[in-house]
Amino acid sequence: MTTALAEHRAPAHTVRPAQATSPRTTATVVTGIGVTAPNGLGTEAWWQAVLAGESGIRPLTRFDATRYPVRLAGEITGFVDADHLPSRLLPQTDRVTRLSLAAAKEALDDWGDDVAALPDYSAGVVTASSAGGFEFGQRELQALWSKGGQHVSAYQSFAWFYAVNTGQISIRHGLRGASGVVVSEQAGGLDALAQARRRIRKGSRLMISGGVDSALCPWGWAAHLAGGSMSTVTDPARAYLPFDPAAAGHIVGEGGALFVLENGTAAHARGARTYGTFAGYAATFDGPGTDRLADAARLALADAGLRPDEIDVVFADAAGTRDADRAEAAALSALFGPHGVPVTAPKTMTGRLLAGGAPLDVAAALLSLRDQVIPPTTGTRRPADDCPIDLVTAPRDGMRLRNALVLARGRGGFNSAAVLSQGPGPQ
Amino acid sequence: MDHLELDDLKTLLRECAGVEEGVDLDGDVLDVPFLALGYDSLALLQTTGRIERDYDVTLDEEGLDEAETPRDYLALINRALSARTAV
């Protein structure tokens, strides 16, 4: 599940200050947000839950999990498919596509203009995916093996596929411009946004981008469990404790966020309300025994043209295993100094959302910049002594928040970092 | 069963592929092309698969490609069903 599809990831060495006068002078801004999360459906409902510290981690209800060693998940409840999708799409969509279509619709409604009025081929879609339509695939494989090929849905031909969310969003809203999908596990959400930014720089008028993921079915669960880093703690409040001395793995959730990205100049010209600028990005890959998360962060800052002391908050990857937490804390200490910057992980309220995780953090970062408040990490009360970070465990305000750094690591060695900045950025 | 009525087909289409927004499947649709009803080739493939399964019949693929309206489609299916009964 960690194969890069679509276009290649940007090698980190493409970050060159000499490009400062190229298309880079045009900012890519966010002008719409759509969220589906275990602790809130819709951007504002979710954001209020996050600030209130309300967790969406609870016992699984999607299937009978009593025979599995992990029975907790960040499951989205209260999402009525028929409220969000026409009946024509119901037989042909997996859960993950239904959630994606709902988030895309919210982002476009939030953006507010008439997408049909844009020039043809000027708007596209790039989403991240890490599993595709797993639940749909399981159902059809079961039909194949128990009843035979005639019982497999014709829609299996695409409903399982990694690119299906991109495709269905594109079809539903008539977005026929450059589109794609990026597959790099939990780092994918940032990689997709970076790909969308490249499309904007190449002239696309508007991009829908981000990621929504879901694989809460027995087949998906088996895959998650095989990863070996899920928490078997049964108390929802104590199961996922990144940076905590008692960290014992992570909880998996479903959901994520999608955004409308635009050329800053064009958005400014139409007087658009912007949530902020996608100001910096970089990706690195771990070598054998070499952790390169810090390099990704450093390169993303360089791409944004910012010094470490200009970053006001970090949204951590927060893997929730002792080794990975130590490595992330070390990366942050190397860049900002021990306890040098506020660090938060609101994903403690949702679990890790695969390709949807980093986009949800980007949404949180943008709303932090808007509301000038850092959302809390729940669960973990005090970081372990070997994780010297300033962990935000209650909503924190009263300081100036201009730039946020979002970190994401994908299983298999992917590291990605993004910088979100207040305002429309340089025009 | 050896005969498929328009109402049976509508029920199958609803179950297999849903109904396109803005389409009144309960209206006079017998001669409306499937594409105008919002049903693409995949929707018909899914529906055909269901009929072949439920009625234990094999339909002629080329004929299906040419059946552009519910009337054509029903005629094709009913020919196959009566041929099956005749055997």
Side-chain angles (χ1 to χ4, degrees):
Chain A
M1 282 196 251
T2 51
T3 314
L5 289 184
E7 295 192 28
H8 291 293
R9 294 157 59 92
H13 62 255
T14 56
V15 178
R16 289 190 299 267
Q19 289 185 345
T21 52
S22 69
R24 213 160 270 270
T25 48
T26 300
T28 296
V29 298
V30 179
T31 51
I33 302 179
V35 165
T36 60
N39 56 342
L41 265 181
T43 304
E44 294 304 330
W46 159 77
W47 182 236
Q48 291 313 312
V50 167
L51 292 179
E54 290 170 13
S55 176
I57 293 174
R58 48 199 157 228
L60 259 168
T61 63
R62 194 71 48 76
F63 63 94
D64 179 8
T66 52
R67 289 179 300 152
Y68 296 86
V70 179
R71 296 164 205 170
L72 298 175
E75 188 178 337
I76 293 174
T77 54
F79 182 89
V80 179
D81 296 342
D83 290 351
H84 298 273
L85 279 88
S87 70
R88 189 73 183 77
L89 287 177
L90 291 177
Q92 56 177 293
T93 45
D94 180 81
R95 167 86 170 172
V96 73
T97 305
R98 297 173 182 187
L99 296 174
S100 293
L101 284 166
K105 171 80 162 53
E106 189 194 3
L108 275 169
D109 285 349
D110 189 31
W111 172 69
D113 273 8
D114 179 13
V115 76
L118 295 175
D120 214 358
Y121 306 108
S122 71
V125 187
V126 177
T127 65
S129 173
S130 70
F134 235 66
E135 192 172 7
F136 198 106
Q138 175 181 339
R139 197 171 62 233
E140 300 312 322
L141 282 173
Q142 281 177 318
L144 175 67
W145 284 96
S146 63
K147 298 176 188 165
Q150 279 198 313
H151 291 258
V152 176
S153 168
Y155 295 117
Q156 166 69 359
S157 56
F158 58 73
W160 70 273
F161 187 48
Y162 298 93
V164 68
N165 300 336
T166 286
Q168 291 284 18
I169 293 167
S170 164
I171 293 166
R172 183 133 179 77
H173 298 285
L175 309 171
R176 307 206 289 168
S179 297
V181 62
V182 179
V183 181
S184 42
E185 217 257 338
Q186 181 95 6
L190 297 184
D191 301 337
L193 289 167
Q195 171 67 359
R197 185 175 68 158
R198 287 192 283 275
R199 298 309 325 182
I200 297 275
R201 284 173 172 170
K202 288 177 179 172
S204 287
R205 173 68 188 79
L206 174 153
M207 295 296 292
I208 304 287
S209 187
V212 172
D213 227 330
S214 173
L216 302 184
C217 60
W219 188 29
W221 212 235
H224 293 314
L225 288 165
S229 51
M230 282 176 85
S231 167
T232 55
V233 175
T234 54
D235 176 0
R238 300 292 299 165
Y240 177 33
L241 304 174
F243 305 112
D244 193 287
H250 68 271
I251 292 296
V252 167
E254 62 179 348
L258 291 171
F259 305 91
V260 174
L261 301 183
E262 285 185 83
N263 174 311
T265 306
H268 184 71
R270 68 178 180 90
R273 177 261 346 250
T274 63
Y275 287 98
T277 304
F278 189 78
Y281 162 81
T284 60
F285 201 80
D286 293 338
T290 313
D291 186 290
R292 298 200 64 214
L293 179 65
D295 292 336
R298 192 175 295 116
L299 290 163
L301 260 62
D303 183 38
L306 294 172
R307 301 183 311 270
D309 65 0
E310 292 174 291
I311 295 293
D312 305 304
V313 58
V314 173
F315 289 78
D317 174 64
T321 60
R322 292 296 292 122
D323 284 352
D325 289 349
R326 263 193 297 269
E328 185 166 28
L332 291 170
S333 292
L335 200 55
F336 301 101
H339 308 280
V341 64
V343 175
T344 190
K347 58 169 65 79
T348 48
M349 291 173 255
T350 63
R352 289 174 74 78
L353 305 184
L354 317 169
L360 198 63
D361 281 341
V362 167
L366 290 167
L367 297 178
S368 285
L369 298 174
R370 182 191 73 179
D371 295 346
Q372 295 290 293
V373 57
I374 301 175
T377 303
T378 59
T380 305
R381 301 327 306 162
R382 210 175 79 78
D385 290 339
D386 56 10
C387 293
I389 56 170
D390 173 15
L391 192 70
V392 176
T393 56
R396 190 184 293 181
D397 56 15
M399 74 285 258
R400 177 104 171 81
L401 301 177
R402 303 151 301 171
N403 303 296
L405 174 68
V406 176
L407 299 179
R409 287 176 290 187
R411 183 177 173 78
F414 299 100
N415 304 295
S416 292
V419 176
L420 287 309
S421 295
Q422 208 178 29
Q427 298 300 312
Chain B
M1 195 190 303
D2 59 2
H3 195 79
L4 205 67
E5 297 288 345
L6 181 61
D7 279 347
D8 302 324
L9 178 60
K10 286 177 183 175
T11 302
L12 282 168
L13 285 168
R14 280 200 175 90
E15 288 175 10
C16 292
V19 183
E20 185 75 28
E21 287 161 292
V23 166
D24 177 17
L25 205 57
D26 291 322
D28 186 11
V29 298
L30 198 57
D31 292 306
V32 180
F34 282 118
L35 277 178
L37 294 172
Y39 296 119
D40 53 18
S41 57
L42 211 54
L44 290 174
L45 184 64
Q46 175 72 359
T47 307
T48 302
R50 172 78 181 276
I51 291 170
E52 289 188 326
R53 221 167 67 204
D54 289 359
Y55 294 88
D56 192 23
V57 66
T58 304
L59 297 165
D60 165 30
E61 268 184 47
E62 281 181 28
L64 284 165
D65 284 346
E66 286 161 18
E68 291 179 358
T69 65
R71 187 190 297 278
D72 300 343
Y73 187 82
L74 283 168
L76 187 91
I77 287 167
N78 285 323
R79 266 202 306 280
L81 289 177
S82 30
R84 186 196 57 174
T85 311
V87 171

